[in-house]
Amino acid sequence: MNWGVVVFPGSNCDDDAHDALARIFGQPVRMIWHRETSLGDLDAILLPGGFSYGDYLRGGAIARFSPVMEDVVRFARDGGVVIGICNGFQILTEAGLLPGALLRNRSLRFICRDQPVRVERHDTRFTNACDPGRVLHIPIAHNEGAYYLPGDQLARLEDRGAVVLRYCAPDGTVSGEHNPNGSVNNIAGIVNEAGNVLGMMPHPERCCDAAIGHTDGRLIFESVISSFVAA
Amino acid sequence: MPAPTELTGPPEPVPGDPEVTLELARAHQLSDEEYERILALLDGRTPTFTELGVYSVMWSEHASYKNSILQLKTLPRSGGRLLVAAGEENAGLVDIGDGWAVAFKIESHNHPSAVEPYQGAATGVGGILRDVFTMGARPIALLDSLRFGSPSDRRVRYLFDGVVRGIADYGNCVGVPTVGGELYFEDAYRGNPLVNAMAVGIVHHDRVLRATAEGAGNSVIYIGSRTGRDGIHGATFASEELSEESTSRRSNVQVGDPFTEKLLLEATLALAETDALVGIQDMGAAGLTCSSCEMAGRGGAGILLDLDRVPLREPGMTPYEIMLSESQERMLVVAKRGREHEVFEIVRRWDLQAVEVGSITDDGRMRATSGGKLVIDIPVESLVLGGGAPHYEREAEAPEPVTFSARTGEPEDFSAATLALLASANIASRRHVFQQYDHMVRANTRVGPGRGDAAVVRVPGTRKALALATDCNARLLRIDPREGARQAVAEACRNVACAGATPLGITNCLNFGNPYKPAVYWTFREAVAGMGEACRALAAPVTGGNVSFYNENPGGAVYPTPVIGAVGLTEDVERTTGMGFVREGEAVFLLGPSETGWAGSEWQALQGDEPAGALVPIDLELEAVLQRFLIRSVNSGWVSAAHDLSEGGLVVAIAEMALASPGRRIGAMIELEEVTALALFGEGPSRVAVTVPVAEMDAFEQAAEAEGVPAQWLGTTGGDGIGFRTVFSVSMHELARAFDTGLGRALGLIESAAVS
């Protein structure tokens, strides 16, 4: 399958995503400059982490106006697979492809650490390689990672099973004590209603290579790749 | 732009500029002799105000190294795998094989951080990153060596918080992982925090950019942010003592914009892929002045600038202000004539400005025009280090030796002493700090902060890895600067060796007081001498660095603090070690001598005593043998974890190895024959604790004996805590509690520390 990684000014994890997809999984990957207006023939788009436009206004608030975003929105609406990681998740919420917003961390400090997250849905095309309830250790690194959605909308989000990943303890316990940033309901990742757009704050591309450390991030990419093989 | 030949006659004063007098020169921190020298260099002509500004920054301590260069020249500054000699380029450059080189440097931003901690620290990170990527190198790691006064002091807490946030916001946004460093609290740094930042980058040999200007007719192109009034005279500010008025110099502190830095980084690396450039230099300290003069100086060329073309943030800036501004995120490039459009195209792709502001000449003069009139006309050679810039051997006098304080008693309750040391602000977990830094971005960090004596970062696209550490126990230098400096170099290199990497070289950041005081100058001279001895013994040349004098205020000077940044290389990223115990049932050995003392120890400091006593001297020959053996042991698979014994001695080292084990589940039982306070908590050089799988013990011990490295069996890993025979033990839970909460308690942040 053909992947595209969008490069905004200030994207920092574009090379990491490219490296994971191309070197670890042997996938064809094209870097897409934010000024391009057509994605071309691609199967999946990844919006990487970083600080697009410095995030001086609000994470992702400027990047959503980049020329390429018009075609990313069209691609997503047509059912194309889109993954937004960290800043990419923020951009997807700003662009209206995913509901909610990412607020400042409760501590008002940047947080970088390995973080256990529990897989809430193993039947999505992003998590089908995981066992139910599996705890993944995936790094987080963000300033604005507190997912927020008003109460009634949050209930609907939960009702339709859109929450894919939740922050948890190493043993899988989900509680306020094991919430690194103040996200409502410990939400770490969600999918849209059609199930083709994933936004997640943890960085799976940082934990795919055994030479560097553990490899739980592979399961996310393996899920997507196998969903295409199966299709 | 006027053609170079159309400009004749002496430069003219700019309307509104003050009259240049000896008084004004003194106000620019120039001595009477230096002002006389300027008059002579200009053939008796009085300099214009702009020219006076140019001389004052180029001859400031910061740019000219005038009071340090004679000592620095005694250090080993070439040889080994060095590709450029120290000081020749913006950063040191060392070969790491297969066509790759590592560029690295450490630099201080102490004075700005003392008055405006957030921006001071942020722009320190920005500056050192530019020094590395102007070499064409992609930055792959940052380290920060920080020193503050007592953590209970309110202003110290303000400074600490601002510095950490400044480093975090800048480094995180640029996308370079902050993988290590140091953090110390001592009263001596109360008014003068030390903020030293180190950057490390990777470059292919044939893509190295140089900081030179040559070839008459070539174009001088300005890239990056506009020039504003911020940071004017930052270099001279950094060259004086801090005083009550220092806070009024806040406008001397620059303001950072990490997003622009990121664009500048990508644009610069794209420029390195062309061969359109002759040279490039960051407009850092002393801004446009320093970058233009130093590049012209290196190339033996002249340079002509049209200041009307410099992009400005606000109207009405004078030539003086334009030449001296230290606005951040700017670069000066010399492009080959006819290739300018390639530069413009690349730079504009990244939404940055690129403006041709001048040209290279062959007359060896630094000239600048404003409004079509000449405002600067100075021989380049007279401005630069190695040329006409002054250099001095200052008066040196040994201070009164520190006498031993008899107050320090030995610890009696060993469990309580263990917990007190682990909770000390100088030893306790640094998680509160490094959790604010993205230490994993770029996905090459194998050993991150808190996991080993050195950070280990893979060289992208290879199996090689670099081990990186900064180190300086300034208490030892307070007692004996020469011996302390030897030990600082040895420890930094030992940290790298603990990861299994061979030290390639060091960069140093020499933080001292006012060199015009004979005792400070003597201390500086001694420290540089000790550093040179250790560098020679360990075959680790100095690749470059920075001198920061005047770290003093009316309360006194900082401890002499030559921070050493060491870079080591290993060929296999997976053959590296951290410090955490890996498996139960492995043997624990102590490598190195058993001799320890209390002088300069953490225990002594915990008793409220000044560093005092006689240091255990380092045997540099043994140190070299020990490091080689350590590297061999890691690479042979004999050793699964290694940790240098530093602050807090043996017990603290063993506790830290247990606390760094997977899930904190592996402790150790130590069967030391003599469980004495001195053996447990005393400190001494060249000591490393290692774990050895049982199957490797024979090979390990035989090799140690053959190479003459003392290796003492201490005990076995396992258990839920650390025990020393039946004498005392501490549970993992107690160790963790002391270690995890120590820093938060010291800083009064414990509530937020508990949440994170």
Side-chain angles (χ1 to χ4, degrees):
Chain A
M1 57 183 288
N2 291 307
W3 290 78
V5 174
V6 179
V7 183
F8 298 97
S11 290
N12 289 334
C13 307
D14 46 341
D15 287 345
D16 309 5
H18 181 279
D19 188 55
L21 289 167
R23 187 169 61 84
I24 306 288
F25 299 106
Q27 299 288 301
V29 189
R30 186 165 80 81
M31 301 303 262
I32 301 165
W33 185 238
H34 72 114
R35 286 210 197 99
E36 294 182 31
T37 50
S38 170
L39 296 170
D41 187 21
L42 293 172
D43 299 307
I45 305 291
L46 192 151
L47 306 189
F51 288 75
S52 54
Y53 294 93
D55 282 351
Y56 288 154
L57 177 58
R58 190 174 67 237
I62 307 287
R64 65 161 287 214
F65 294 109
S66 272
V68 75
M69 283 307 292
E70 208 170 300
D71 210 35
V72 170
V73 171
R74 182 214 40 90
F75 180 79
R77 302 252 191 258
D78 290 351
V81 168
V82 178
I83 302 177
I85 297 170
C86 198
N87 195 222
F89 185 10
Q90 294 163 346
I91 295 168
L92 290 177
T93 61
E94 291 288 335
L97 288 174
L98 289 172
L102 282 311
L103 310 181
R104 283 295 304 276
N105 296 342
R106 183 175 48 192
S107 63
L108 301 181
R109 294 177 191 277
F110 190 94
I111 302 173
C112 174
R113 69 183 197 197
D114 260 331
Q115 173 67 45
V117 288
R118 192 173 75 191
V119 177
E120 301 291 280
R121 291 274 309 275
H122 65 286
D123 55 349
T124 74
R125 63 189 311 162
F126 306 103
T127 50
N128 59 59
C130 305
D131 297 327
R134 164 88 188 243
V135 175
L136 305 175
H137 288 261
I138 305 185
I140 55 169
H142 56 247
N143 236 332
E144 296 168 317
Y147 184 75
Y148 178 75
L149 198 59
D152 50 335
Q153 295 177 49
L154 181 63
R156 282 202 295 280
L157 187 84
E158 293 280 7
D159 284 347
R160 69 174 169 85
V163 178
V164 176
L165 300 168
R166 266 187 238 277
Y167 302 115
C168 65
D171 68 1
T173 308
V174 171
S175 72
E177 200 188 331
H178 300 103
N179 182 338
N181 53 25
S183 285
V184 291
N185 294 4
N186 283 37
I187 289 171
I190 58 170
V191 285
N192 66 342
E193 214 153 343
N196 63 313
V197 178
L198 168 74
M200 61 187 289
M201 288 312 293
H203 286 269
E205 79 284 7
R206 293 189 184 182
C207 51
C208 290
D209 187 349
I212 294 307
H214 57 78
T215 56
D216 283 359
R218 287 187 183 189
L219 291 170
I220 303 290
F221 296 109
E222 281 167 4
S223 296
V224 179
I225 292 165
S226 70
S227 79
F228 272 88
V229 174
Chain B
M1 261 183 284
T5 46
E6 289 167 13
L7 299 162
T8 53
E12 300 173 36
V14 175
D17 276 354
E19 189 191 345
V20 174
T21 61
L22 177 59
E23 287 302 308
L24 192 64
R26 286 176 181 157
H28 280 71
Q29 314 289 332
L30 289 162
S31 69
D32 293 13
E33 298 72 34
E34 286 167 350
Y35 184 62
E36 285 301 316
R37 189 168 168 155
I38 292 169
L39 295 180
L41 284 164
L42 297 177
D43 301 323
R45 170 172 72 79
T46 302
T48 65
F49 181 51
T50 311
E51 289 175 326
L52 182 72
V54 168
Y55 271 110
S56 78
V57 292
M58 290 303 294
W59 287 8
S60 73
E61 194 73 55
H62 195 85
S64 76
Y65 291 81
K66 59 187 168 190
N67 290 310
S68 61
I69 189 66
L70 293 176
Q71 301 305 324
L72 298 180
K73 281 184 172 169
T74 68
L75 293 168
R77 299 192 299 161
S78 58
R81 301 175 80 164
L82 264 61
L83 297 174
V84 299
E88 259 180 27
E89 298 287 346
N90 284 324
L93 193 68
V94 183
D95 178 38
I96 56 170
D98 300 333
W100 291 97
V102 54
F104 62 98
K105 190 181 179 187
I106 191 167
E107 202 163 72
S108 63
H109 236 211
N110 303 336
H111 284 67
S113 303
V115 296
E116 213 300 279
Y118 180 89
Q119 292 295 349
T123 54
V125 172
I128 196 64
L129 282 172
R130 287 193 296 282
D131 277 341
V132 163
F133 71 73
T134 48
M135 311 265 310
R138 173 162 299 273
I140 61 165
L142 283 165
L143 295 92
D144 297 284
S145 175
L146 310 178
R147 282 169 181 75
F148 299 94
S150 163
S152 59
D153 182 290
R154 278 187 60 192
R155 180 162 174 83
V156 165
R157 290 177 176 181
Y158 158 76
L159 293 173
F160 167 80
D161 191 63
V163 164
V164 171
R165 284 178 189 274
I167 290 168
D169 283 357
Y170 205 100
N172 296 347
C173 185
V174 178
V176 179
T178 299
V179 297
E182 309 170 272
L183 171 63
Y184 285 100
F185 298 93
E186 301 275 2
D187 281 341
Y189 303 103
R190 183 172 179 275
N192 294 90
L194 301 185
V195 176
N196 297 177
M198 173 170 165
V200 182
I202 295 297
V203 58
H204 210 261
H205 287 198
D206 57 10
R207 286 287 175 266
V208 174
L209 297 176
R210 299 179 54 220
T212 188
E214 52 198 46
N218 283 332
S219 300
V220 179
I221 299 174
Y222 173 113
I223 295 176
S225 292
R226 291 167 176 269
T227 296
R229 289 193 161 104
D230 54 332
I232 291 174
H233 267 305
T236 27
F237 170 45
S239 305
E240 63 186 48
E241 287 181 35
L242 294 181
S243 63
E244 294 298 320
E245 292 91 63
S246 294
T247 44
S248 71
R249 305 206 69 157
R250 211 164 269 155
S251 65
N252 287 152
V253 180
Q254 314 85 333
V255 177
D257 173 2
F259 173 58
T260 299
E261 177 97 342
K262 167 71 175 170
L263 302 180
L264 204 49
L265 157 64
E266 298 300 337
T268 303
L269 296 185
L271 288 172
E273 293 294 316
T274 73
D275 65 343
L277 298 195
V278 175
I280 179 168
Q281 186 163 336
D282 166 36
M283 287 190 245
L288 185 55
T289 296
C290 200
S291 52
S292 58
C293 296
E294 286 190 355
M295 281 206 288
R298 289 198 193 94
I303 194 164
L304 175 64
L305 299 174
D306 180 355
L307 301 183
D308 297 338
R309 298 178 66 95
V310 173
L312 301 179
R313 274 188 208 150
E314 53 187 314
M317 284 183 67
T318 64
Y320 176 95
E321 290 170 325
I322 294 168
M323 289 302 293
L324 269 57
S325 164
E326 294 190 5
S327 290
Q328 297 287 290
E329 292 93 22
R330 304 178 302 159
M331 293 276 193
L332 202 62
V333 160
V334 178
K336 293 175 186 167
R337 176 61 62 193
R339 309 281 300 271
E340 298 87 347
H341 63 282
E342 293 174 52
V343 175
F344 293 146
E345 201 171 304
I346 287 171
V347 172
R348 284 169 192 162
R349 174 184 161 91
W350 290 98
D351 299 331
L352 293 169
Q353 294 198 75
V355 181
E356 191 176 335
V357 295
S359 56
I360 301 305
T361 61
D362 57 5
D363 58 9
R365 298 190 81 80
M366 160 79 227
R367 290 186 297 168
T369 61
S370 174
K373 290 178 181 158
L374 201 56
V375 292
I376 302 172
D377 186 0
I378 297 174
V380 168
E381 200 268 344
S382 74
L383 289 166
V384 296
L385 172 67
H391 49 80
Y392 307 110
E393 177 86 42
R394 302 238 75 93
E395 188 189 338
E397 193 183 302
E400 288 291 308
V402 186
T403 52
F404 186 70
S405 149
R407 283 207 296 150
T408 304
E410 294 199 346
E412 287 162 10
D413 179 338
F414 293 161
S415 299
T418 300
L419 295 174
L421 283 164
L422 277 179
S424 145
N426 287 330
I427 292 177
S429 169
R430 269 76 186 105
R431 173 178 292 274
H432 168 73
V433 176
F434 65 68
Q435 192 167 265
Q436 296 182 58
Y437 304 152
D438 190 339
H439 44 87
M440 305 180 194
V441 62
R442 305 206 70 77
N444 287 306
T445 307
R446 171 149 169 112
V447 178
R451 311 304 302 174
D453 289 14
V456 177
V457 180
R458 174 174 57 188
V459 178
T462 73
R463 285 199 64 79
K464 297 173 192 288
L466 298 174
L468 312 168
T470 65
D471 206 89
C472 179
N473 185 339
R475 288 181 192 140
L476 309 186
L477 281 108
R478 173 74 183 90
I479 294 172
D480 179 344
R482 184 180 287 234
E483 178 61 31
R486 284 187 196 117
Q487 296 199 20
V489 172
E491 186 173 343
C493 292
R494 196 184 313 132
N495 288 340
V496 158
C498 279
T502 305
L504 295 171
I506 64 157
T507 175
N508 55 22
C509 193
L510 311 179
N511 306 277
F512 287 79
N514 182 345
Y516 288 82
K517 295 180 180 169
V520 170
Y521 190 75
W522 178 86
T523 304
F524 175 73
R525 205 174 64 186
E526 284 291 296
V528 173
M531 202 180 309
E533 290 165 13
C535 287
R536 275 181 276 272
L538 302 174
V542 178
T543 63
N546 155 247
V547 178
S548 172
F549 281 134
Y550 307 98
N551 291 291
E552 64 181 281
N553 62 59
V558 297
Y559 287 166
T561 314
V563 173
I564 308 298
V567 174
L569 173 69
T570 176
E571 292 297 329
D572 184 354
V573 65
E574 295 192 63
R575 282 255 173 204
T576 54
T577 39
M579 70 184 190
F581 291 142
V582 177
R583 269 170 240 100
E584 294 202 353
E586 294 192 337
V588 183
F589 278 86
L590 173 63
L591 294 177
S594 55
E595 194 186 356
T596 59
W598 297 118
S601 67
E602 186 65 28
W603 177 257
Q604 189 175 55
L606 269 189
Q607 307 312 300
D609 288 346
E610 289 285 311
L615 299 178
V616 179
I618 189 169
D619 175 346
L620 288 170
E621 240 171 81
L622 176 64
E623 177 74 37
V625 172
L626 175 107
Q627 289 187 20
R628 277 198 297 273
F629 175 68
L630 199 52
I631 295 160
R632 185 180 162 203
S633 296
V634 172
N635 285 283
S636 305
W638 300 336
V639 157
S640 54
H643 188 27
D644 173 40
L645 271 57
S646 55
E647 288 81 5
L650 176 67
V651 177
V652 165
I654 298 294
E656 287 173 340
M657 295 174 87
L659 288 166
S661 66
R664 290 182 159 172
R665 283 190 291 268
I666 307 172
M669 177 52 75
I670 302 301
E671 315 277 352
L672 205 61
E673 271 172 41
E674 284 187 54
V675 184
T676 63
L678 197 60
L680 295 173
F681 305 106
E683 297 175 22
S686 309
R687 287 149 51 87
V688 177
V690 297
T691 53
V692 181
V694 174
E696 309 293 343
M697 270 176 70
D698 285 350
F700 170 81
E701 285 188 282
Q702 279 166 19
E705 194 178 347
E707 295 187 23
V709 177
Q712 182 192 354
W713 180 82
L714 289 180
T716 310
T717 60
D720 181 40
I722 58 170
F724 286 75
R725 288 198 289 124
T726 54
V727 181
F728 80 105
S729 65
V730 188
S731 74
M732 195 74 87
H733 176 76
E734 289 175 290
L735 294 174
R737 188 178 152 73
F739 186 66
D740 291 348
T741 61
L743 186 60
R745 282 175 197 279
L747 288 163
L749 314 152
I750 191 62
E751 280 169 15
S752 58
V755 170
S756 63

